[in-house]
Amino acid sequence: MGFFDAILGNASEVNADQLQEELSPIMFEGEMIERAFKVIRDMYVFTSARLILIDKQGVTGKKIDYLTIPYKAISTFSVETAGHFDMDSELTLWVSGRHEPIKKELKKGSDVVGIQKLLATKLLA
């Protein structure tokens, strides 16, 4: 992830295999990371069972908020691809029990088609 992407809050993809070991304490047996994206210190992780939004807080980042969203709680989603002038893609999720959607920016070059397919598989299959 480049310096300007980090400042602008754009996400870049993280190696799922490396992250699997780091997050193993909060994952259940057999749960696997399928895709993961990082924005500065925060991450959102698509596992075989849920979406985990990880918010590192404070100066040191030792305080961490883990928000689990079961795929069955996602009622609608939108994936917007990057254009000529708008260089970023965007993922929007509408979750049961929330009034406002959750929006995440993805940097240009992120596999938005793969994310679209992953969510469609989890929600519609």
Side-chain angles (χ1 to χ4, degrees):
M1 177 167 56
F3 176 73
F4 289 110
D5 287 329
I7 290 175
L8 297 173
N10 297 334
S12 61
E13 196 153 4
V14 178
N15 184 305
D17 294 331
Q18 292 174 348
L19 193 57
Q20 185 76 36
E21 185 176 328
E22 180 183 334
L23 295 181
S24 64
I26 67 163
M27 298 176 62
F28 63 83
E29 188 174 328
E31 184 178 19
M32 299 299 297
I33 295 173
E34 296 183 4
R35 305 290 296 269
F37 296 88
K38 185 173 187 172
V39 180
I40 306 175
R41 298 185 307 173
D42 300 340
M43 285 189 281
Y44 39 107
V45 181
F46 295 88
T47 76
S48 53
R50 59 186 164 156
L51 172 59
I52 306 170
L53 301 179
I54 301 171
D55 179 14
K56 292 189 177 182
Q57 303 170 2
V59 176
T60 63
K62 291 190 178 201
K63 182 178 180 182
I64 303 172
D65 178 46
Y66 298 93
L67 174 64
T68 290
I69 303 171
Y71 290 122
K72 66 182 178 182
I74 300 172
S75 58
T76 307
F77 67 93
S78 169
V79 180
E80 179 183 292
T81 61
H84 290 292
F85 298 107
D86 182 11
M87 302 302 282
D88 303 322
S89 301
E90 187 173 87
L91 169 65
T92 306
L93 304 168
W94 286 265
V95 179
S96 299
R98 289 181 161 274
H99 295 295
E100 297 295 321
I102 297 170
K103 293 186 178 189
K104 297 293 180 183
E105 296 289 325
L106 303 169
K107 87 174 195 182
K108 186 174 183 174
S110 296
D111 184 8
V112 294
V113 173
I115 293 169
Q116 169 87 15
K117 187 173 183 175
L118 180 124
L119 283 169
T121 301
K122 297 295 183 185
L123 302 176
L124 305 173

